[in-house]
Amino acid sequence: GDRISMPPSVSLLFEVEDLAVASPATVSRAGMVYFDEDSLGWRPFVLSWVQRTFSGSQAVQQKMIEVFDKFVPKCLTCLHRDCQQLVPQAGDPCTVQGVC
């Protein structure tokens, strides 16, 4: 029942494969929300990150989104096609999150 306080600069993300054995109490206490990565993709995370990080400039936000839209699909295609990951990521959203 102990709580650990963290500064606003710290965020935790727990990624689980499924919620097959999670009780309703566990889900509500931990605030778990399950999204299938195939239906969500990487772009919503990037949009949220850009909005938070560059909140002072709409022009910078737009440029950053353009850069991600231009290069991330090409990089992910190259990664999947031409590279062998020694430590595989959980999916494209996690891979892109490492860039942000």
Side-chain angles (χ1 to χ4, degrees), residues 20-59:
V21 295
S23 70
T26 301
V27 173
S28 66
R29 284 188 191 115
M32 292 181 188
V33 178
Y34 177 76
F35 288 103
D36 182 29
E37 72 180 51
D38 293 332
S39 63
L40 191 58
W42 59 266
R43 200 164 189 278
F45 175 81
V46 169
L47 294 175
S48 175
W49 176 78
V50 166
Q51 203 171 30
R52 280 191 325 272
T53 306
F54 305 102
S55 60
S57 173
Q58 191 72 16

Side-chain angles (χ1 to χ4, degrees), residues 86-99:
L86 297 177
V87 180
Q89 295 289 326
D92 291 345
C94 290
T95 303
V96 175
Q97 185 178 3
V99 176

